[in-house]
Amino acid sequence: MDPPPPLPLPPPRSYRRIILILKLLTIVFLLAALVVLATDTETIELSNKTEFIILRIHFKDMYTYRYMLGVCVIGMAYTLLQIVFSFYNIRTGKRLSNPTFDFYGDKLLSYILATGAAAGFGATSDMQSTFQRVNLLGNFFKRGYAASALVLFGFVYAALLSIFSYYALPQKV
Amino acid sequence: MDPPPPLPLPPPRSYRRIILILKLLTIVFLLAALVVLATDTETIELSNKTEFIILRIHFKDMYTYRYMLGVCVIGMAYTLLQIVFSFYNIRTGKRLSNPTFDFYGDKLLSYILATGAAAGFGATSDMQSTFQRVNLLGNFFKRGYAASALVLFGFVYAALLSIFSYYALPQKV
């Protein structure tokens, strides 16, 4: 039988601070995306000779924006948990979480955020070009782009974290 | 100065075959997505009392489908290169590529494929629900969903490969 793999060296203090900063950036950008999305609404006034209709379009009317909102909530919940782990680690030098859990969790989160940003950009670009012909919903889709860009930044930080969490894995057998 | 990290053990033959099969599956699904997308076209006949218009909608008319097509081409090119490396590795037992290049390349590819599938699903779902009200482009968007699902499968194989490529990395210092 092989001996068990050696335990990983505790990461240096500066490295743990970089990880904490990346986690804080992730949560801030996802929170900003959530606020932009949740307040994304536009009122359309349509009229012909006989009728006058007021339509209120909300983020809920787009499947993709609902998905993005879900992605932001999941991302914030997971990152908040990771921030608690980080603070504990910086204070005590001990780990509350398992490096393997972090590795797969960070990897999964970065994929989820990538799909949120991509779905947002994809749906916004095609919907905007469709409604542009009738000069409608310009601001609604501008905010949709802004939310997608914020989720994209969240993804970049999460992807960097997922590389860091690889380096925190124990030695392989 | 620390000693250099030990060289990784060559992976067993069966493991190398699984990797090759995953790479073949990735390329087959991306090729299928590319064919479904490139042939995705629908003709619309619009008429009122005075005019009769025929519109031909093609995948090129959707930004997102053009992006997906680009994602398929990039994915197939990278995976083909990796298949050549795999065959060489199985034949000779030697590596043509660097494990670190594989690790970051596989990681990047899996992110790119995730964004392709997500953008496809996002844009298709919202565009379909918009055009459904006027009973148009039903088949066009059905094929869009099919292509997105095929890219999603390609992503799953690529994500598994990116986990395997982590295990092929040399020991950490």
Side-chain angles (χ1 to χ4, degrees):
Chain A
M1 215 178 102
D2 288 331
L7 286 172
L9 293 170
R13 226 181 160 74
S14 61
Y15 164 101
R16 280 182 272 161
R17 280 190 196 278
I18 292 170
I19 288 179
L20 181 59
I21 290 167
L22 282 172
K23 285 173 186 175
L24 288 170
L25 281 170
T26 307
I27 217 162
V28 165
F29 276 79
L30 292 183
L31 182 65
L34 189 131
V35 171
V36 170
L37 265 182
T39 58
D40 191 7
T41 179
E42 192 166 337
T43 306
I44 307 178
E45 295 171 7
L46 296 170
S47 62
N48 60 21
K49 281 158 198 160
T50 55
E51 281 177 302
F52 186 76
I53 303 168
I54 293 183
L55 279 176
R56 208 171 158 75
I57 305 292
H58 202 254
F59 86 95
K60 285 180 204 159
D61 299 313
M62 290 264 294
Y63 291 119
T64 306
Y65 292 176
R66 276 193 263 171
Y67 174 72
M68 275 173 81
L69 199 93
V71 161
C72 289
V73 170
I74 291 170
M76 285 167 63
Y78 175 82
T79 311
L80 197 63
L81 187 75
Q82 285 286 348
I83 285 173
V84 173
F85 292 163
S86 264
F87 265 116
Y88 185 82
N89 185 235
I90 286 176
R91 278 288 171 97
T92 67
K94 287 180 222 158
R95 293 189 70 112
L96 267 179
S97 67
N98 182 313
T100 311
F101 168 79
D102 290 352
F103 175 67
Y104 285 102
D106 289 357
K107 204 173 168 67
L108 188 63
L109 181 75
S110 65
Y111 282 131
I112 290 174
L113 294 182
T115 63
F121 279 116
T124 307
S125 61
D126 282 310
M127 290 292 280
Q128 192 192 39
S129 83
T130 303
F131 282 89
Q132 217 164 25
R133 287 169 209 181
V134 284
N135 254 325
L136 284 178
L137 295 174
N139 285 321
F140 180 74
F141 291 123
K142 262 184 207 157
R143 291 177 71 102
Y145 268 130
S148 308
L150 288 165
V151 177
L152 185 68
F153 277 103
F155 155 72
V156 171
Y157 304 131
L160 290 174
L161 279 167
S162 98
I163 293 171
F164 275 112
S165 67
Y166 151 68
Y167 285 103
L169 277 177
Q171 293 283 8
K172 286 170 287 176
V173 275
Chain B
M1 215 180 101
D2 288 332
L7 286 173
L9 293 170
R13 226 181 161 74
S14 62
Y15 165 100
R16 278 182 274 162
R17 279 190 197 278
I18 292 171
I19 288 180
L20 180 59
I21 290 166
L22 282 173
K23 285 173 186 175
L24 288 170
L25 280 170
T26 307
I27 216 161
V28 165
F29 275 78
L30 292 183
L31 182 65
L34 189 130
V35 171
V36 170
L37 265 182
T39 58
D40 191 6
T41 178
E42 191 166 337
T43 306
I44 307 178
E45 294 170 8
L46 296 170
S47 61
N48 60 20
K49 281 156 197 160
T50 53
E51 280 178 302
F52 187 76
I53 304 168
I54 293 181
L55 279 177
R56 210 172 157 74
I57 306 293
H58 202 253
F59 86 94
K60 285 180 205 158
D61 298 314
M62 292 264 292
Y63 292 119
T64 306
Y65 291 175
R66 274 191 264 170
Y67 175 72
M68 277 174 79
L69 199 92
V71 162
C72 290
V73 170
I74 291 170
M76 285 166 63
Y78 176 81
T79 311
L80 197 63
L81 188 75
Q82 284 287 348
I83 286 174
V84 172
F85 291 162
S86 264
F87 265 115
Y88 185 83
N89 183 236
I90 287 176
R91 277 290 171 96
T92 66
K94 286 181 223 157
R95 293 189 70 112
L96 268 179
S97 67
N98 182 314
T100 311
F101 168 79
D102 290 352
F103 175 66
Y104 285 102
D106 289 358
K107 204 172 169 67
L108 188 64
L109 181 74
S110 64
Y111 283 131
I112 290 174
L113 294 182
T115 63
F121 278 116
T124 307
S125 59
D126 283 309
M127 290 293 280
Q128 192 192 39
S129 83
T130 303
F131 281 90
Q132 216 163 26
R133 289 170 206 180
V134 283
N135 253 326
L136 284 177
L137 297 174
N139 284 321
F140 180 75
F141 290 123
K142 263 184 207 156
R143 291 177 72 102
Y145 267 131
S148 308
L150 288 165
V151 177
L152 184 69
F153 277 103
F155 155 70
V156 171
Y157 304 131
L160 290 173
L161 279 168
S162 96
I163 294 171
F164 275 112
S165 67
Y166 151 67
Y167 285 104
L169 278 178
Q171 294 284 9
K172 287 170 287 175
V173 274

mmCIF file of all heavy atoms in Angstrom, chain A residues 117-162:
data_model
loop_
_atom_site.group_PDB
_atom_site.id
_atom_site.type_symbol
_atom_site.label_atom_id
_atom_site.label_comp_id
_atom_site.label_asym_id
_atom_site.label_seq_id
_atom_site.Cartn_x
_atom_site.Cartn_y
_atom_site.Cartn_z
ATOM 1 N N ALA A 117 -23.720 34.841 -17.498
ATOM 2 C CA ALA A 117 -23.288 35.979 -18.314
ATOM 3 C C ALA A 117 -23.552 35.716 -19.800
ATOM 4 O O ALA A 117 -24.067 36.585 -20.509
ATOM 5 C CB ALA A 117 -21.795 36.244 -18.074
ATOM 6 N N ALA A 118 -23.241 34.502 -20.259
ATOM 7 C CA ALA A 118 -23.402 34.181 -21.688
ATOM 8 C C ALA A 118 -24.873 34.201 -22.089
ATOM 9 O O ALA A 118 -25.229 34.735 -23.148
ATOM 10 C CB ALA A 118 -22.800 32.811 -21.995
ATOM 11 N N ALA A 119 -25.741 33.629 -21.246
ATOM 12 C CA ALA A 119 -27.170 33.630 -21.560
ATOM 13 C C ALA A 119 -27.674 35.066 -21.613
ATOM 14 O O ALA A 119 -28.439 35.439 -22.510
ATOM 15 C CB ALA A 119 -27.935 32.816 -20.511
ATOM 16 N N GLY A 120 -27.203 35.903 -20.669
ATOM 17 C CA GLY A 120 -27.611 37.311 -20.645
ATOM 18 C C GLY A 120 -27.190 38.047 -21.912
ATOM 19 O O GLY A 120 -28.001 38.714 -22.556
ATOM 20 N N PHE A 121 -25.925 37.898 -22.304
ATOM 21 C CA PHE A 121 -25.454 38.567 -23.520
ATOM 22 C C PHE A 121 -26.175 38.046 -24.757
ATOM 23 O O PHE A 121 -26.578 38.827 -25.623
ATOM 24 C CB PHE A 121 -23.938 38.389 -23.696
ATOM 25 C CG PHE A 121 -23.124 39.352 -22.879
ATOM 26 C CD1 PHE A 121 -22.290 38.915 -21.871
ATOM 27 C CD2 PHE A 121 -23.190 40.714 -23.135
ATOM 28 C CE1 PHE A 121 -21.533 39.804 -21.111
ATOM 29 C CE2 PHE A 121 -22.442 41.619 -22.387
ATOM 30 C CZ PHE A 121 -21.622 41.155 -21.372
ATOM 31 N N GLY A 122 -26.343 36.711 -24.834
ATOM 32 C CA GLY A 122 -26.985 36.112 -26.005
ATOM 33 C C GLY A 122 -28.412 36.601 -26.178
ATOM 34 O O GLY A 122 -28.782 37.112 -27.245
ATOM 35 N N ALA A 123 -29.211 36.481 -25.113
ATOM 36 C CA ALA A 123 -30.622 36.861 -25.209
ATOM 37 C C ALA A 123 -30.759 38.371 -25.435
ATOM 38 O O ALA A 123 -31.566 38.808 -26.256
ATOM 39 C CB ALA A 123 -31.359 36.449 -23.938
ATOM 40 N N THR A 124 -29.946 39.174 -24.725
ATOM 41 C CA THR A 124 -30.067 40.625 -24.859
ATOM 42 C C THR A 124 -29.747 41.076 -26.277
ATOM 43 O O THR A 124 -30.479 41.883 -26.857
ATOM 44 C CB THR A 124 -29.140 41.340 -23.856
ATOM 45 O OG1 THR A 124 -29.409 40.835 -22.547
ATOM 46 C CG2 THR A 124 -29.380 42.845 -23.857
ATOM 47 N N SER A 125 -28.656 40.531 -26.856
ATOM 48 C CA SER A 125 -28.256 40.998 -28.185
ATOM 49 C C SER A 125 -29.340 40.707 -29.222
ATOM 50 O O SER A 125 -29.686 41.587 -30.008
ATOM 51 C CB SER A 125 -26.918 40.381 -28.596
ATOM 52 O OG SER A 125 -27.022 38.981 -28.644
ATOM 53 N N ASP A 126 -29.899 39.499 -29.209
ATOM 54 C CA ASP A 126 -30.899 39.176 -30.235
ATOM 55 C C ASP A 126 -32.248 39.829 -29.967
ATOM 56 O O ASP A 126 -32.922 40.263 -30.900
ATOM 57 C CB ASP A 126 -31.037 37.655 -30.375
ATOM 58 C CG ASP A 126 -29.887 37.071 -31.176
ATOM 59 O OD1 ASP A 126 -29.621 37.608 -32.260
ATOM 60 O OD2 ASP A 126 -29.248 36.126 -30.709
ATOM 61 N N MET A 127 -32.636 39.927 -28.704
ATOM 62 C CA MET A 127 -33.913 40.577 -28.394
ATOM 63 C C MET A 127 -33.816 42.078 -28.712
ATOM 64 O O MET A 127 -34.739 42.677 -29.249
ATOM 65 C CB MET A 127 -34.275 40.380 -26.924
ATOM 66 C CG MET A 127 -34.645 38.966 -26.558
ATOM 67 S SD MET A 127 -36.213 38.434 -27.297
ATOM 68 C CE MET A 127 -37.358 39.192 -26.151
ATOM 69 N N GLN A 128 -32.685 42.676 -28.363
ATOM 70 C CA GLN A 128 -32.511 44.104 -28.630
ATOM 71 C C GLN A 128 -32.593 44.393 -30.124
ATOM 72 O O GLN A 128 -33.276 45.331 -30.544
ATOM 73 C CB GLN A 128 -31.164 44.579 -28.081
ATOM 74 C CG GLN A 128 -31.055 46.096 -28.066
ATOM 75 C CD GLN A 128 -29.640 46.558 -27.801
ATOM 76 O OE1 GLN A 128 -28.681 45.970 -28.300
ATOM 77 N NE2 GLN A 128 -29.507 47.600 -27.015
ATOM 78 N N SER A 129 -31.921 43.558 -30.930
ATOM 79 C CA SER A 129 -31.930 43.829 -32.370
ATOM 80 C C SER A 129 -33.328 43.605 -32.954
ATOM 81 O O SER A 129 -33.692 44.222 -33.951
ATOM 82 C CB SER A 129 -30.871 42.993 -33.088
ATOM 83 O OG SER A 129 -31.351 41.714 -33.364
ATOM 84 N N THR A 130 -34.127 42.745 -32.331
ATOM 85 C CA THR A 130 -35.505 42.528 -32.793
ATOM 86 C C THR A 130 -36.383 43.736 -32.457
ATOM 87 O O THR A 130 -37.146 44.210 -33.300
ATOM 88 C CB THR A 130 -36.094 41.263 -32.127
ATOM 89 O OG1 THR A 130 -35.239 40.161 -32.424
ATOM 90 C CG2 THR A 130 -37.498 40.973 -32.617
ATOM 91 N N PHE A 131 -36.253 44.230 -31.220
ATOM 92 C CA PHE A 131 -37.114 45.330 -30.777
ATOM 93 C C PHE A 131 -36.618 46.700 -31.243
ATOM 94 O O PHE A 131 -37.361 47.670 -31.222
ATOM 95 C CB PHE A 131 -37.285 45.299 -29.251
ATOM 96 C CG PHE A 131 -38.263 44.265 -28.808
ATOM 97 C CD1 PHE A 131 -37.868 42.964 -28.520
ATOM 98 C CD2 PHE A 131 -39.622 44.569 -28.706
ATOM 99 C CE1 PHE A 131 -38.783 41.999 -28.139
ATOM 100 C CE2 PHE A 131 -40.550 43.608 -28.319
ATOM 101 C CZ PHE A 131 -40.126 42.318 -28.043
ATOM 102 N N GLN A 132 -35.358 46.757 -31.681
ATOM 103 C CA GLN A 132 -34.791 48.000 -32.170
ATOM 104 C C GLN A 132 -35.532 48.481 -33.419
ATOM 105 O O GLN A 132 -35.704 49.674 -33.630
ATOM 106 C CB GLN A 132 -33.322 47.770 -32.538
ATOM 107 C CG GLN A 132 -32.428 48.946 -32.217
ATOM 108 C CD GLN A 132 -30.969 48.515 -32.231
ATOM 109 O OE1 GLN A 132 -30.607 47.556 -32.890
ATOM 110 N NE2 GLN A 132 -30.135 49.231 -31.495
ATOM 111 N N ARG A 133 -35.979 47.507 -34.225
ATOM 112 C CA ARG A 133 -36.671 47.866 -35.480
ATOM 113 C C ARG A 133 -37.959 48.632 -35.215
ATOM 114 O O ARG A 133 -38.426 49.381 -36.057
ATOM 115 C CB ARG A 133 -36.985 46.598 -36.272
ATOM 116 C CG ARG A 133 -35.721 46.042 -36.878
ATOM 117 C CD ARG A 133 -35.906 44.664 -37.449
ATOM 118 N NE ARG A 133 -34.631 43.964 -37.371
ATOM 119 C CZ ARG A 133 -34.421 42.734 -37.802
ATOM 120 N NH1 ARG A 133 -35.403 42.040 -38.331
ATOM 121 N NH2 ARG A 133 -33.245 42.178 -37.679
ATOM 122 N N VAL A 134 -38.566 48.371 -34.038
ATOM 123 C CA VAL A 134 -39.782 49.108 -33.700
ATOM 124 C C VAL A 134 -39.508 50.134 -32.597
ATOM 125 O O VAL A 134 -40.441 50.652 -31.976
ATOM 126 C CB VAL A 134 -40.925 48.143 -33.302
ATOM 127 C CG1 VAL A 134 -41.502 47.486 -34.537
ATOM 128 C CG2 VAL A 134 -40.454 47.103 -32.306
ATOM 129 N N ASN A 135 -38.174 50.434 -32.398
ATOM 130 C CA ASN A 135 -37.786 51.469 -31.425
ATOM 131 C C ASN A 135 -38.355 51.269 -30.028
ATOM 132 O O ASN A 135 -38.859 52.214 -29.413
ATOM 133 C CB ASN A 135 -38.229 52.839 -31.938
ATOM 134 C CG ASN A 135 -37.026 53.617 -32.424
ATOM 135 O OD1 ASN A 135 -35.950 53.498 -31.852
ATOM 136 N ND2 ASN A 135 -37.223 54.388 -33.480
ATOM 137 N N LEU A 136 -38.292 50.032 -29.545
ATOM 138 C CA LEU A 136 -38.856 49.759 -28.222
ATOM 139 C C LEU A 136 -37.812 49.139 -27.295
ATOM 140 O O LEU A 136 -36.895 48.451 -27.750
ATOM 141 C CB LEU A 136 -40.041 48.794 -28.339
ATOM 142 C CG LEU A 136 -41.368 49.364 -28.854
ATOM 143 C CD1 LEU A 136 -42.400 48.257 -28.954
ATOM 144 C CD2 LEU A 136 -41.887 50.464 -27.935
ATOM 145 N N LEU A 137 -37.990 49.367 -26.012
ATOM 146 C CA LEU A 137 -37.241 48.696 -24.949
ATOM 147 C C LEU A 137 -35.732 48.949 -24.980
ATOM 148 O O LEU A 137 -34.956 48.129 -24.488
ATOM 149 C CB LEU A 137 -37.519 47.181 -24.992
ATOM 150 C CG LEU A 137 -38.966 46.773 -24.695
ATOM 151 C CD1 LEU A 137 -39.143 45.269 -24.914
ATOM 152 C CD2 LEU A 137 -39.346 47.120 -23.265
ATOM 153 N N GLY A 138 -35.328 50.085 -25.523
ATOM 154 C CA GLY A 138 -33.900 50.404 -25.583
ATOM 155 C C GLY A 138 -33.231 50.370 -24.220
ATOM 156 O O GLY A 138 -32.202 49.717 -24.047
ATOM 157 N N ASN A 139 -33.829 51.071 -23.247
ATOM 158 C CA ASN A 139 -33.208 51.129 -21.917
ATOM 159 C C ASN A 139 -33.280 49.801 -21.177
ATOM 160 O O ASN A 139 -32.367 49.453 -20.433
ATOM 161 C CB ASN A 139 -33.877 52.213 -21.067
ATOM 162 C CG ASN A 139 -33.419 53.579 -21.510
ATOM 163 O OD1 ASN A 139 -32.257 53.762 -21.829
ATOM 164 N ND2 ASN A 139 -34.351 54.532 -21.556
ATOM 165 N N PHE A 140 -34.379 49.088 -21.399
ATOM 166 C CA PHE A 140 -34.545 47.776 -20.752
ATOM 167 C C PHE A 140 -33.368 46.867 -21.124
ATOM 168 O O PHE A 140 -32.768 46.227 -20.255
ATOM 169 C CB PHE A 140 -35.879 47.158 -21.201
ATOM 170 C CG PHE A 140 -36.177 45.815 -20.616
ATOM 171 C CD1 PHE A 140 -36.574 45.694 -19.295
ATOM 172 C CD2 PHE A 140 -36.076 44.660 -21.388
ATOM 173 C CE1 PHE A 140 -36.864 44.445 -18.745
ATOM 174 C CE2 PHE A 140 -36.359 43.421 -20.850
ATOM 175 C CZ PHE A 140 -36.755 43.313 -19.528
ATOM 176 N N PHE A 141 -33.025 46.832 -22.417
ATOM 177 C CA PHE A 141 -31.948 45.947 -22.849
ATOM 178 C C PHE A 141 -30.571 46.501 -22.498
ATOM 179 O O PHE A 141 -29.635 45.732 -22.280
ATOM 180 C CB PHE A 141 -32.083 45.633 -24.342
ATOM 181 C CG PHE A 141 -33.266 44.761 -24.635
ATOM 182 C CD1 PHE A 141 -34.250 45.160 -25.520
ATOM 183 C CD2 PHE A 141 -33.408 43.541 -23.996
ATOM 184 C CE1 PHE A 141 -35.347 44.348 -25.775
ATOM 185 C CE2 PHE A 141 -34.510 42.723 -24.236
ATOM 186 C CZ PHE A 141 -35.486 43.131 -25.131
ATOM 187 N N LYS A 142 -30.442 47.840 -22.428
ATOM 188 C CA LYS A 142 -29.159 48.416 -21.993
ATOM 189 C C LYS A 142 -28.831 47.936 -20.582
ATOM 190 O O LYS A 142 -27.708 47.580 -20.276
ATOM 191 C CB LYS A 142 -29.237 49.941 -22.006
ATOM 192 C CG LYS A 142 -28.642 50.548 -23.261
ATOM 193 C CD LYS A 142 -28.661 52.066 -23.190
ATOM 194 C CE LYS A 142 -28.702 52.632 -24.605
ATOM 195 N NZ LYS A 142 -29.254 53.979 -24.627
ATOM 196 N N ARG A 143 -29.852 47.945 -19.713
ATOM 197 C CA ARG A 143 -29.640 47.476 -18.339
ATOM 198 C C ARG A 143 -29.372 45.970 -18.323
ATOM 199 O O ARG A 143 -28.626 45.478 -17.477
ATOM 200 C CB ARG A 143 -30.836 47.836 -17.467
ATOM 201 C CG ARG A 143 -30.940 49.343 -17.228
ATOM 202 C CD ARG A 143 -32.171 49.673 -16.428
ATOM 203 N NE ARG A 143 -32.052 49.236 -15.057
ATOM 204 C CZ ARG A 143 -31.765 50.038 -14.041
ATOM 205 N NH1 ARG A 143 -31.584 51.319 -14.259
ATOM 206 N NH2 ARG A 143 -31.680 49.576 -12.823
ATOM 207 N N GLY A 144 -30.000 45.274 -19.257
ATOM 208 C CA GLY A 144 -29.731 43.832 -19.386
ATOM 209 C C GLY A 144 -28.272 43.576 -19.736
ATOM 210 O O GLY A 144 -27.630 42.674 -19.178
ATOM 211 N N TYR A 145 -27.731 44.397 -20.659
ATOM 212 C CA TYR A 145 -26.303 44.296 -20.995
ATOM 213 C C TYR A 145 -25.447 44.582 -19.775
ATOM 214 O O TYR A 145 -24.452 43.905 -19.521
ATOM 215 C CB TYR A 145 -25.945 45.302 -22.097
ATOM 216 C CG TYR A 145 -26.038 44.757 -23.492
ATOM 217 C CD1 TYR A 145 -26.741 45.435 -24.478
ATOM 218 C CD2 TYR A 145 -25.400 43.570 -23.844
ATOM 219 C CE1 TYR A 145 -26.817 44.952 -25.778
ATOM 220 C CE2 TYR A 145 -25.477 43.072 -25.129
ATOM 221 C CZ TYR A 145 -26.178 43.761 -26.096
ATOM 222 O OH TYR A 145 -26.256 43.287 -27.365
ATOM 223 N N ALA A 146 -25.821 45.639 -19.027
ATOM 224 C CA ALA A 146 -25.035 46.022 -17.844
ATOM 225 C C ALA A 146 -25.003 44.874 -16.843
ATOM 226 O O ALA A 146 -23.934 44.529 -16.316
ATOM 227 C CB ALA A 146 -25.638 47.273 -17.204
ATOM 228 N N ALA A 147 -26.164 44.239 -16.599
ATOM 229 C CA ALA A 147 -26.222 43.117 -15.652
ATOM 230 C C ALA A 147 -25.356 41.961 -16.151
ATOM 231 O O ALA A 147 -24.616 41.338 -15.372
ATOM 232 C CB ALA A 147 -27.661 42.677 -15.441
ATOM 233 N N SER A 148 -25.408 41.673 -17.461
ATOM 234 C CA SER A 148 -24.597 40.581 -18.026
ATOM 235 C C SER A 148 -23.112 40.867 -17.832
ATOM 236 O O SER A 148 -22.338 39.963 -17.497
ATOM 237 C CB SER A 148 -24.875 40.411 -19.522
ATOM 238 O OG SER A 148 -26.242 40.291 -19.783
ATOM 239 N N ALA A 149 -22.724 42.138 -18.047
ATOM 240 C CA ALA A 149 -21.317 42.503 -17.895
ATOM 241 C C ALA A 149 -20.872 42.336 -16.443
ATOM 242 O O ALA A 149 -19.771 41.860 -16.176
ATOM 243 C CB ALA A 149 -21.093 43.938 -18.361
ATOM 244 N N LEU A 150 -21.763 42.699 -15.490
ATOM 245 C CA LEU A 150 -21.422 42.553 -14.073
ATOM 246 C C LEU A 150 -21.254 41.077 -13.711
ATOM 247 O O LEU A 150 -20.333 40.708 -12.973
ATOM 248 C CB LEU A 150 -22.504 43.203 -13.207
ATOM 249 C CG LEU A 150 -22.515 44.740 -13.239
ATOM 250 C CD1 LEU A 150 -23.816 45.287 -12.673
ATOM 251 C CD2 LEU A 150 -21.324 45.294 -12.454
ATOM 252 N N VAL A 151 -22.141 40.225 -14.248
ATOM 253 C CA VAL A 151 -22.000 38.782 -13.986
ATOM 254 C C VAL A 151 -20.713 38.261 -14.623
ATOM 255 O O VAL A 151 -20.013 37.417 -14.044
ATOM 256 C CB VAL A 151 -23.227 37.990 -14.497
ATOM 257 C CG1 VAL A 151 -23.036 36.491 -14.293
ATOM 258 C CG2 VAL A 151 -24.494 38.437 -13.776
ATOM 259 N N LEU A 152 -20.355 38.809 -15.800
ATOM 260 C CA LEU A 152 -19.102 38.400 -16.460
ATOM 261 C C LEU A 152 -17.903 38.708 -15.567
ATOM 262 O O LEU A 152 -16.997 37.883 -15.426
ATOM 263 C CB LEU A 152 -18.964 39.119 -17.803
ATOM 264 C CG LEU A 152 -17.765 38.709 -18.658
ATOM 265 C CD1 LEU A 152 -17.907 37.289 -19.171
ATOM 266 C CD2 LEU A 152 -17.592 39.657 -19.843
ATOM 267 N N PHE A 153 -17.896 39.886 -14.933
ATOM 268 C CA PHE A 153 -16.806 40.216 -13.995
ATOM 269 C C PHE A 153 -16.807 39.226 -12.825
ATOM 270 O O PHE A 153 -15.749 38.741 -12.425
ATOM 271 C CB PHE A 153 -16.935 41.650 -13.483
ATOM 272 C CG PHE A 153 -16.366 42.663 -14.431
ATOM 273 C CD1 PHE A 153 -17.192 43.430 -15.239
ATOM 274 C CD2 PHE A 153 -14.993 42.833 -14.536
ATOM 275 C CE1 PHE A 153 -16.673 44.364 -16.135
ATOM 276 C CE2 PHE A 153 -14.453 43.767 -15.423
ATOM 277 C CZ PHE A 153 -15.296 44.523 -16.224
ATOM 278 N N GLY A 154 -17.992 38.948 -12.293
ATOM 279 C CA GLY A 154 -18.099 37.951 -11.218
ATOM 280 C C GLY A 154 -17.499 36.629 -11.655
ATOM 281 O O GLY A 154 -16.766 35.979 -10.901
ATOM 282 N N PHE A 155 -17.758 36.243 -12.909
ATOM 283 C CA PHE A 155 -17.202 34.994 -13.449
ATOM 284 C C PHE A 155 -15.678 35.038 -13.468
ATOM 285 O O PHE A 155 -15.020 34.067 -13.097
ATOM 286 C CB PHE A 155 -17.746 34.722 -14.857
ATOM 287 C CG PHE A 155 -16.832 33.870 -15.679
ATOM 288 C CD1 PHE A 155 -16.696 32.522 -15.381
ATOM 289 C CD2 PHE A 155 -16.087 34.396 -16.723
ATOM 290 C CE1 PHE A 155 -15.829 31.717 -16.116
ATOM 291 C CE2 PHE A 155 -15.219 33.611 -17.456
ATOM 292 C CZ PHE A 155 -15.089 32.266 -17.152
ATOM 293 N N VAL A 156 -15.103 36.181 -13.918
ATOM 294 C CA VAL A 156 -13.635 36.273 -14.010
ATOM 295 C C VAL A 156 -13.001 36.056 -12.631
ATOM 296 O O VAL A 156 -12.051 35.282 -12.490
ATOM 297 C CB VAL A 156 -13.201 37.631 -14.617
ATOM 298 C CG1 VAL A 156 -11.692 37.831 -14.516
ATOM 299 C CG2 VAL A 156 -13.639 37.717 -16.077
ATOM 300 N N TYR A 157 -13.551 36.698 -11.600
ATOM 301 C CA TYR A 157 -13.006 36.514 -10.246
ATOM 302 C C TYR A 157 -13.173 35.064 -9.801
ATOM 303 O O TYR A 157 -12.273 34.478 -9.203
ATOM 304 C CB TYR A 157 -13.687 37.459 -9.247
ATOM 305 C CG TYR A 157 -13.594 38.910 -9.657
ATOM 306 C CD1 TYR A 157 -14.710 39.731 -9.665
ATOM 307 C CD2 TYR A 157 -12.380 39.452 -10.070
ATOM 308 C CE1 TYR A 157 -14.627 41.061 -10.065
ATOM 309 C CE2 TYR A 157 -12.287 40.776 -10.487
ATOM 310 C CZ TYR A 157 -13.417 41.570 -10.486
ATOM 311 O OH TYR A 157 -13.326 42.863 -10.899
ATOM 312 N N ALA A 158 -14.334 34.479 -10.100
ATOM 313 C CA ALA A 158 -14.587 33.091 -9.695
ATOM 314 C C ALA A 158 -13.648 32.131 -10.430
ATOM 315 O O ALA A 158 -13.185 31.142 -9.846
ATOM 316 C CB ALA A 158 -16.043 32.727 -9.956
ATOM 317 N N ALA A 159 -13.345 32.430 -11.702
ATOM 318 C CA ALA A 159 -12.438 31.568 -12.465
ATOM 319 C C ALA A 159 -11.027 31.642 -11.878
ATOM 320 O O ALA A 159 -10.336 30.627 -11.764
ATOM 321 C CB ALA A 159 -12.439 31.969 -13.938
ATOM 322 N N LEU A 160 -10.609 32.852 -11.471
ATOM 323 C CA LEU A 160 -9.293 32.994 -10.828
ATOM 324 C C LEU A 160 -9.276 32.215 -9.518
ATOM 325 O O LEU A 160 -8.306 31.514 -9.216
ATOM 326 C CB LEU A 160 -8.984 34.479 -10.564
ATOM 327 C CG LEU A 160 -8.697 35.327 -11.801
ATOM 328 C CD1 LEU A 160 -8.559 36.801 -11.423
ATOM 329 C CD2 LEU A 160 -7.408 34.853 -12.485
ATOM 330 N N LEU A 161 -10.378 32.321 -8.751
ATOM 331 C CA LEU A 161 -10.468 31.578 -7.483
ATOM 332 C C LEU A 161 -10.367 30.080 -7.733
ATOM 333 O O LEU A 161 -9.771 29.357 -6.932
ATOM 334 C CB LEU A 161 -11.787 31.900 -6.779
ATOM 335 C CG LEU A 161 -11.800 33.207 -5.991
ATOM 336 C CD1 LEU A 161 -13.215 33.583 -5.605
ATOM 337 C CD2 LEU A 161 -10.928 33.074 -4.739
ATOM 338 N N SER A 162 -10.953 29.613 -8.837
ATOM 339 C CA SER A 162 -10.937 28.174 -9.089
ATOM 340 C C SER A 162 -9.528 27.703 -9.464
ATOM 341 O O SER A 162 -9.188 26.543 -9.242
ATOM 342 C CB SER A 162 -11.988 27.782 -10.130
ATOM 343 O OG SER A 162 -11.432 27.654 -11.404
#
